[in-house]
Amino acid sequence: MAGNALTSRGALATDNLPADWAGALGAPDTQAALNKIAVAIDQALARGELIFPADPWRALRLTPLSNVKVVILGQDPYHGPDQAQGLAFSVDNHVKCPPSLRNIFQEIDRDPRLHESPLRTQSSNDLSRWAHQGVLLLNTTLTVKAGQAASHARLGWQTIAEQLIKAVAQSAQPVAFLLWGNHAQRLAPLIESTASISLKTVVGPRLTLQCNHPSPLSARRGATPFIGCGHFGDTNQWLASQGLTPIAW
């Protein structure tokens, strides 16, 4: 079995998440949706299917809700052995850099505003360093069958992802949302409407940036190509304007 494979439905339990995330997922309808996902995954494991990653909640564990400064949305986990690690776009350092992540690094290296930060090393494909700084690297589908991209897209994970995004949109701290590609951009109205109708007395400032997905199929195409978007430098300038520490990308 691959070392990054999920072994039981217990990995989907929310009771040992950071308290703020557990609270965001605590509503009865959300727990019901999670239970349906857990049952489906339990049945898949019983059939001998290999499912990635081992810890679907890793993004939430590394970046508690109260620490979120930036949200980067992916679609679903990498479906190859040893790739998915519970963070969107990220792989372990010993794993070959995927094409989308390679384009992400190219865009960071291209932006002269970021040259004062230490340039990434050749062994920095693991983006947990971003997560520890407040970058929520969230896939909107949190599990995948080995070898089959988007195979769990209809299990109900979208409902869970929307609850998590709503929680961030309602938070009091400033947050930048980086929405790359059509899949992520479909959530822009949810972010805007949730913040505007929040029952909380204070909702923090928001920055929403949109462009094409960093995939080689779209990174240099269309009206808003990913390469040249400037999102990482723009985000850092905005965070600084809000009195927050910029991200060491």
Side-chain angles (χ1 to χ4, degrees), residues 100-117:
S100 291
L101 183 57
R102 191 161 55 243
N103 281 336
I104 288 171
F105 289 145
Q106 180 177 338
E107 173 57 21
I108 292 169
D109 292 344
R110 182 206 63 80
D111 194 330
R113 295 172 294 177
L114 303 174
H115 288 177
E116 293 180 1
S117 300

Side-chain angles (χ1 to χ4, degrees), residues 53 76 90 136 159 190 213 216 225 234 247:
D76 69 331
S90 179
L136 179 64
T159 298
L190 174 68
H213 193 276
D234 290 347
I247 305 300

Side-chain angles (χ1 to χ4, degrees), residues 111-132:
D111 194 330
R113 295 172 294 177
L114 303 174
H115 288 177
E116 293 180 1
S117 300
L119 293 178
R120 69 180 185 89
T121 66
Q122 293 300 310
S123 60
S124 60
N125 296 338
D126 182 348
L127 302 182
S128 60
R129 67 190 188 279
W130 293 4
H132 289 302

Side-chain angles (χ1 to χ4, degrees), residues 59 68-75 87-89 104 108 127 130 134-140 165 175-180 184 214 226 231-232 235 247 249:
V68 175
K69 297 192 293 189
V70 182
V71 177
I72 295 177
L73 294 176
Q75 191 159 349
L87 301 176
F89 297 104
I104 288 171
I108 292 169
L127 302 182
W130 293 4
V135 182
L136 179 64
L137 295 160
L138 181 68
N139 283 316
T140 54
I165 293 164
V175 181
F177 292 86
L178 309 189
L179 307 180
W180 303 333
F226 177 82
H231 282 191
F232 300 99
T235 295
I247 305 300
W249 300 108

